[in-house]
């Protein structure tokens, strides 16, 4: 079972292949059946210098999945993989140094490994580094740096980074001017979590992912509709501007012709302002929608969208 040493909102994560397992999660690795053949095959590839296999051996040693848990071995394999540029292994070294697993606890060393992975664009490491700067762990406390790294992680979809960044904006912890739109954008993830929890689904429970998927789908549809509306609105404004320009030209031409006819003693034309408008143009209407989603527990969630804003309740 993974040893838990978390503080505050830090959600350092040990990742394996395409999936991820949070430190301190409810998984019980002692219940996992021995993976003898997997361990043997992976170990052989790791000994041959394969970085991904070295990383996996680090994970196996860290969790004790199929072998005896051994933080020292995990550290050794992670370091070998990190030396070859494996970003997840690099981040996980930072986790182990911060938690003091297999090594003396050392936040400065943790920051070093987080930074190496973060600078390669790894979202979890960017989030971890932002947390360290926000809390002054291993580095001098610096909200500007915290916002920088949280934002980089948030732009890759890291939910905790979005939430923490929203909190910093809302609490004016950022050195930049408080931005209401940023607060709304980054704290939206926490709001979605609360919505699903109100329907009886907590993170990690069956049905929670489905609830979040329905909210995300409603938001995506709203964003697509809003983008289409903005394109139509821009086209409408251009057509209106072109029509006005055409009418102005015609009006000036009518005035000139009117004066020429009057000077020549000819009868006046029809009113100068009596101009044709051509084909009518219609201003587009901002989209709105109302959807109901049946959740696994039998309850119905309603999502209402107006423009790009989606409210599920």
């Amino acid at each position: 079972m993974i040893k838990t040493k978390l503080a505050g909102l830090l959600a350092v994560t040990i990742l394996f292949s395409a999936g991820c397992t949070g430190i301190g999660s409810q998984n019980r690795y002692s219940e996992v059946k021995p993976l003898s053949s997997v361990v043997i095959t992976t170990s052989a590839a790791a000994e041959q210098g394969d970085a991904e296999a070295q990383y996996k051996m680090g994970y196996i040693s860290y969790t004790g999945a199929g072998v005896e848990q051994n933080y020292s071995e995990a550290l050794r394999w992670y370091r070998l993989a990190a030396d070859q540029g494996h970003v997840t292994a690099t981040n996980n070294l930072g986790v182990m140094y911060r938690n003091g697993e297999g090594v003396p606890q050392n936040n400065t060393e943790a920051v070093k490994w987080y930074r190496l992975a973060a600078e390669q664009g790894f979202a979890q490491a960017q989030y971890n580094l932002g947390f360290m700067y926000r809390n002054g762990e291993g580095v001098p406390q610096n909200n500007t740096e915290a916002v920088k790294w949280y934002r980089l992680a948030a732009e890759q979809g890291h939910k905790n980074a979005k939430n923490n960044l929203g909190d910093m904006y809302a609490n004016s912890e950022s050195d930049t001017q408080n931005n209401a739109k940023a607060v709304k954008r980054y704290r939206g993830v926490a709001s979605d979590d609360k919505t699903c929890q109100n329907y009886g689904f907590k993170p990690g429970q069956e049905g929670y992912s489905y609830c979040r998927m329905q909210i995300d789908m409603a938001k995506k549809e709203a964003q697509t509709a809003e983008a289409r509306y903005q394109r139509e609105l821009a086209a409408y404004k251009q057509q209106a501007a072109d029509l006005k320009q055409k009418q102005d030209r015609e009006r000036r031409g009518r005035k000139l012709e009117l004066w020429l006819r009057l000077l020549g003693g000819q009868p006046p034309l029809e009113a100068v302002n009596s101009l044709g408008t051509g084909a009518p143009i219609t201003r587009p209407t901002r989209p709105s929608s109302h959807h109901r989603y049946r959740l696994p527990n039998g309850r119905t969630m309603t999502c209402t969208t107006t423009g790009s804003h989606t409210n599920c309740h």
Side-chain angles (χ1 to χ4, degrees), residues 190-203:
S191 176
D192 294 345
D193 285 341
K194 185 176 181 180
T195 297
C196 290
Q197 290 179 38
N198 288 341
Y199 277 94
F201 302 110
K202 294 183 179 179

Side-chain angles (χ1 to χ4, degrees), residues 22-292:
I23 296 180
S25 70
Q26 296 180 353
N27 291 340
R28 298 295 185 266
Y29 291 100
S30 60
E31 299 173 2
V32 178
K33 294 182 180 179
L35 304 175
S36 301
S37 60
V38 174
V39 172
I40 292 172
T41 302
T42 305
S43 178
E47 293 290 355
Q48 293 297 315
D50 183 274
E52 181 65 20
Q54 291 170 342
Y55 158 66
K56 289 180 179 179
M57 282 305 300
Y59 174 85
I60 289 170
S61 300
Y62 183 91
T63 61
V67 298
E68 183 178 352
Q69 187 183 54
N70 189 322
Y71 286 149
S72 296
E73 274 295 286
L75 198 75
R76 181 175 77 86
W77 286 117
Y78 279 152
R79 192 181 297 274
L80 288 171
D83 287 344
Q84 298 193 65
H86 197 292
V87 292
T88 312
T90 304
N91 174 74
N92 290 359
L93 279 172
V95 173
M96 296 190 72
Y97 273 103
R98 184 181 183 277
N99 292 345
E101 295 167 324
V103 289
Q105 200 278 338
N106 189 327
N107 284 336
T108 302
E109 193 70 10
V111 167
K112 166 190 166 183
W113 292 106
Y114 287 155
R115 189 183 304 279
L116 285 173
E119 289 176 346
Q120 296 180 65
F122 190 54
Q124 182 63 40
Q126 291 169 341
Y127 168 76
N128 291 342
L129 187 55
F131 178 92
M132 302 297 272
Y133 270 111
R134 186 183 184 188
N135 293 278
E137 296 186 13
V139 288
Q141 199 279 337
N142 189 321
N143 283 337
T144 300
E145 281 293 301
V147 167
K148 167 188 169 182
W149 291 108
Y150 276 155
R151 182 181 290 119
L152 288 171
E155 288 173 354
Q156 296 190 64
H158 196 288
K159 295 178 181 179
N160 287 337
K162 290 181 178 180
N163 189 40
N164 287 8
L165 187 57
D167 286 340
M168 292 190 72
Y169 278 117
N171 298 331
S172 299
E173 294 179 49
S174 170
D175 291 341
T176 58
Q177 186 178 5
N178 186 22
N179 187 323
K181 290 185 178 179
V183 174
K184 183 177 180 180
R185 172 185 176 189
Y186 292 117
R187 299 193 79 176
V189 173
S191 176
D192 294 345
D193 285 341
K194 185 176 181 180
T195 297
C196 290
Q197 290 179 38
N198 288 341
Y199 277 94
F201 302 110
K202 294 183 179 179
Q205 290 184 339
E206 184 179 357
Y208 173 80
S209 295
Y210 181 82
C211 176
R212 284 301 306 270
M213 180 183 71
Q214 297 302 324
I215 295 176
D216 291 343
M217 184 170 65
K219 288 186 173 182
K220 186 175 181 180
E221 290 177 356
Q223 291 168 356
T224 301
E226 176 67 11
R228 183 171 57 251
Y229 164 75
Q230 292 296 339
R231 291 194 298 269
E232 292 173 352
L233 182 61
Y236 162 79
K237 289 180 177 179
Q238 184 61 53
Q239 290 176 345
D242 291 344
L243 178 59
K244 184 177 184 304
Q245 189 177 45
K246 178 182 177 182
Q247 290 177 335
D248 287 344
R249 285 198 304 267
E250 290 182 3
R251 188 173 289 109
R252 289 193 297 269
R254 290 288 183 89
K255 285 183 178 180
L256 177 60
E257 187 175 356
L258 173 61
W259 283 107
L260 290 175
R261 293 178 70 88
L262 290 174
L263 290 173
Q266 300 178 16
L269 295 173
E270 60 190 45
V272 173
N273 290 327
S274 178
L275 302 174
T277 59
I281 58 174
T282 304
R283 185 185 181 92
T285 303
R286 176 167 258 120
S288 62
S289 61
H290 190 79
H291 298 288
R292 294 180 181 273

